[in-house]
Amino acid sequence: NAGVTQTPKFQVLKTGQSMTLQCAQDMNHNSMYWYRQDPGMGLRLIYYSASEGTTDKGEVPNGYNVSRLNKREFSLRLESAAPSQTSVYFCASSFVNRAGQPQHFGDGTRLSIL
Amino acid sequence: AQTVTQSQPEMSVQEAETVTLSCTYDTSESDYYLFWYKQPPSRQMILVIRQEAYKQQNATENRFSVNFQKAAKSFSLKISDSQLGDAAMYFCAYRSYYTGTASKLTFGTGTRLQVTL
């Protein structure tokens, strides 16, 4: 009964380092999403994957890459971390084309880049 | 593109009282969904309530209800009999009805609710 699981929960990086945030869901959802949350700005969509094998840019994709490894897993990679990427990152998942079905969120990853 | 505005950065309510959080949105679409999510200090994003734009009846979930005014593009959340556990950040979110193969959400900036004794 895990829902959406994100790892790690906390991470500190130095500028220029790379990092992959992992996300897995066990609800058989088709679609998965990555958001970042910054103070005073709500959640903003970075990338999403409508279904296995597809990925698309969201509102703030610069500096990130994603991989939809299989139906369960969707990872977010920072190739060369920058202080502006300090944020809390949320992964979410939902069914596709199911009217009104809400997204289910993981517990977030707090990422600090020095 | 759709936008969601929450004009109250912070609100405070006494335990057992009622509080209303405001949300307005801008869209040219006629069919869509609106959500309220709660984020307690634990950082979890918890769905509170959902409203379908094509339904005139306001959604209710126990102590939580909405006032959905489609013409005014307003979607406020009313919390009745407030409890200490209601203290959290509340986010309003919009989802298009016709989103192809994904259900992307557009979030407001949030309202932090404090509950006092």
Side-chain angles (χ1 to χ4, degrees):
Chain A
N1 207 26
V4 179
T5 303
Q6 290 183 235
T7 54
K9 294 192 184 307
F10 302 94
Q11 185 70 46
V12 179
L13 293 177
K14 293 181 179 179
T15 298
Q17 287 186 315
S18 61
M19 171 76 188
T20 298
L21 307 185
Q22 306 287 352
C23 175
Q25 52 89 13
D26 61 2
M27 295 174 283
N28 202 34
H29 286 162
N30 311 85
S31 300
M32 298 185 74
Y33 313 82
W34 276 106
Y35 294 89
R36 60 178 288 173
Q37 182 180 19
D38 301 297
M41 299 191 74
L43 278 75
R44 293 181 293 168
L45 184 64
I46 304 171
Y47 270 93
Y48 67 99
S49 171
S51 60
E52 188 178 352
T54 68
T55 60
D56 285 286
K57 294 178 180 179
E59 183 184 353
V60 287
N62 291 344
Y64 305 95
N65 285 300
V66 291
S67 296
R68 182 73 182 268
L69 306 172
N70 47 56
K71 190 173 185 178
R72 291 186 63 249
E73 298 173 287
F74 188 40
S75 63
L76 177 72
R77 183 162 178 84
L78 287 71
E79 290 290 353
S80 179
S84 61
Q85 295 176 305
T86 293
S87 189
V88 179
Y89 291 85
F90 286 94
C91 177
S93 67
S94 71
F95 285 112
V96 66
N97 282 339
R98 294 225 186 153
Q101 288 294 317
Q103 292 184 11
H104 296 260
F105 286 81
D107 290 342
T109 296
R110 183 176 294 278
L111 184 61
S112 295
I113 299 160
L114 307 177
Chain B
Q2 294 80 26
T3 59
V4 177
T5 301
Q6 293 179 250
S7 59
Q8 305 155 317
E10 291 189 8
M11 293 282 287
S12 183
V13 63
Q14 283 191 319
E15 199 176 19
E17 296 297 309
T18 295
V19 65
T20 299
L21 309 184
S22 300
C23 173
T24 58
Y25 56 94
D26 187 27
T27 184
S28 58
E29 299 173 333
S30 58
D31 292 321
Y32 46 87
Y33 300 94
L34 297 164
F35 304 87
W36 279 98
Y37 279 88
K38 170 186 177 181
Q39 186 181 43
S42 65
R43 273 202 330 241
Q44 275 187 304
M45 291 289 287
I46 303 165
L47 178 68
V48 175
I49 201 164
R50 175 181 83 190
Q51 175 78 42
E52 292 90 341
Y54 56 85
K55 288 187 178 180
Q56 293 188 340
Q57 187 174 5
N58 289 326
T60 62
E61 287 287 343
N62 300 316
R63 298 182 295 108
F64 298 87
S65 61
V66 299
N67 184 5
F68 173 51
Q69 301 288 330
K70 191 173 183 180
K73 296 180 181 174
S74 171
F75 181 59
S76 60
L77 175 69
K78 186 172 82 171
I79 306 174
S80 304
D81 187 24
S82 297
Q83 300 174 0
L84 292 177
D86 295 334
M89 183 74 87
Y90 286 82
F91 291 97
C92 179
Y94 173 102
R95 203 212 92 177
S96 297
Y97 184 83
Y98 300 105
T99 56
T101 56
S103 304
K104 296 177 286 182
L105 292 174
T106 300
F107 285 89
T109 53
T111 296
R112 184 172 301 281
L113 179 66
Q114 292 184 321
V115 181
T116 59
L117 294 172

